[in-house]
Amino acid sequence: MKILVVMGTRPEVIKLAPVVAALRRRKGLRTLVCATAQHRELQDQMLKTFDIKPDFDLDLMRKGQSPDAIARRVQASLDPLLARIKPDLVIVQGDTTTAMAAAMCAHKRHIPIAHVEAGLRSHDLENPFPEEGNRVIIDHIATLHFPPTQKAKANLKKEGIKGPGVIVTGNTVVDALRWADKKIKIRPASADAREVLVTFHRRESFGAPLKGIFHALITLVRRHADLVLIYPVHPNPQVRLAAKRWLRHPRIRLVKPLPYLEFLRLMKRVHFLITDSGGLQEESVCLHKPVLVARTVTERPEIIAAGAGKLVGLSQKNLIYWATKLLNDKALHRRMSRAQNPYGDGKASERITSAIALWAIRARRTLLQKCRK
């Protein structure tokens, strides 16, 4: 059974690295990795961290690329590769343009698709954009679905996606964090400052919403003399230029994207997080760090329901209110820090691998039966 795992961004590598490792330990499965380089620098940083050497590198990133352009390049480059290597299964993760375009390529060649982190829904095609549409498309053409939670499985069922090909596995981000935790040495937080980690990169926040959020951050550091904001700035020019223009304050530290282990070391040290990232919402609850989600809606409602996060929207007023509460209300901070992790026990990649191995056996039997007829 030949399996092709396709990845192109930082979060895809993080969440697929444990799956690749588990698949390669399983006899009878030959696992190949294709890197699209949708995000060249960030993807390569993660591949090095997890010691993954892609079997194929499409090298598709271009300056100023749009989602449509990267989708076209993925399909143009991946299709001939699929024709040449003829995988029995293509694995994609999440909701990126790489994942959607790779799934479409496989679908058009009648190659079964496995979707890691299936079933996430915001139920709003504009938020996040284009990710919500991407994951809906992938789920409706996939053969195997690996939702991380029962909530995600229920989302699939509402859309008519059910049966033995839908297996709740937990989230592979927990697997990655457990691997990383053994390699991290924690530096104690400063006694003179409270550090808060900030990240923003979503397209729907570009322009006026992002400017408003940045003004709220300036207000927070002006009101709290011991507050330090650390912001690893996404390389997207619209984010990077806006941050440099509007976040001018000595206690707002704009830094380059950090290597994974260094980033986790920082996450473990900070007081809480402010973000619009989906992956950081998950990592924060796993690391028992309160998170303020600066989005109008989240496809990860389990975090809010667990009490680990607050959905503050894109309102300056809401962000300032909840950040101030977390800075001043020790009981609230303690409750959010102790929230139960809804994403499983760190064995998601093993469950995914076992499900794929079982599917492979069944597929082989079906093929033999057809040949005998």
Side-chain angles (χ1 to χ4, degrees), residues 260-331:
Y260 183 56
L261 297 180
E262 187 176 340
F263 189 79
L264 292 181
R265 190 179 297 116
L266 175 61
M267 282 187 69
K268 285 194 167 192
R269 193 178 78 220
V270 298
H271 199 54
F272 61 90
L273 289 85
I274 303 171
T275 188
D276 63 2
S277 164
L280 257 67
Q281 292 177 58
E282 297 163 348
E283 289 171 340
S284 65
V285 68
C286 293
L287 296 176
H288 302 287
K289 294 293 178 179
V291 59
L292 300 182
V293 183
R295 289 169 55 178
T296 56
V297 64
T298 178
E299 65 279 14
R300 293 164 171 87
E302 298 92 342
I303 295 168
I304 310 302
K310 298 288 183 183
L311 188 64
V312 301
L314 297 174
S315 160
Q316 295 184 50
K317 183 178 179 181
N318 282 351
L319 177 54
I320 292 169
Y321 173 81
W322 282 108
T324 301
K325 286 276 286 183
L326 275 172
L327 288 167
N328 296 334
D329 189 336
K330 292 182 179 179

Side-chain angles (χ1 to χ4, degrees), residues 135-153:
R135 52 183 168 241
V136 171
I137 290 170
I138 298 168
D139 281 336
H140 281 270
I141 60 176
T143 300
L144 294 173
H145 303 80
F146 301 123
T149 64
Q150 290 293 338
K151 174 68 174 176
K153 181 181 180 180

Side-chain angles (χ1 to χ4, degrees), residues 27-52:
K27 292 182 179 179
L29 301 178
R30 182 188 176 198
T31 303
L32 303 172
V33 173
C34 175
T36 70
Q38 177 179 333
H39 295 159
R40 176 84 270 174
E41 182 180 351
L42 299 182
Q43 173 207 262
D44 289 352
Q45 193 179 78
M46 292 302 102
L47 289 171
K48 183 178 180 181
T49 297
F50 288 97
D51 195 24
I52 296 175

Side-chain angles (χ1 to χ4, degrees), residues 353-365:
T353 298
S354 295
I356 289 173
L358 181 59
W359 172 83
I361 292 170
R362 289 172 175 168
R364 194 175 298 116
R365 285 175 182 170

